[in-house]
Amino acid sequence: SAWGAAVTMMPGETPPPAAGTAAAAACANCDVLQQNINEYVAALISLKQKMIDGDRLLTEYQQKCTDILYFSIKILALRCQVEQMLQKILPLEKCEEELGSLKAELEEKKVCL
């Protein structure tokens, strides 16, 4: 057009690209932008899955800690019971020894009589 030819260029200015070239560059930029968005969304999805997996592992870990605490308390209670039973058994073992001695003495006296 005559108007475009009348526009004078300033020193250092670059002429605007032709309409077809500008559209092609814009399409290329859109493609790159779409690819970047797709990669960003994929990275976000991957991060979300890792967060879900991390939450699941944390829940499992906390449950195992709770189980360990529960079983530790149970073990402590069982140790106390075993200790109490041992304290009851020791005097009974002494009585059994004394009964054995008395039985042996009675057998001797029986033989003598």
Side-chain angles (χ1 to χ4, degrees), residues 10-32:
M10 296 296 290
E13 271 191 323
T14 56
T21 307
C27 283
N29 287 341
C30 286
D31 289 345
V32 169

Side-chain angles (χ1 to χ4, degrees), residues 21-39:
T21 307
C27 283
N29 287 341
C30 286
D31 289 345
V32 169
L33 180 60
Q34 186 62 51
Q35 182 179 351
N36 288 342
I37 289 172
N38 291 344
E39 290 172 2

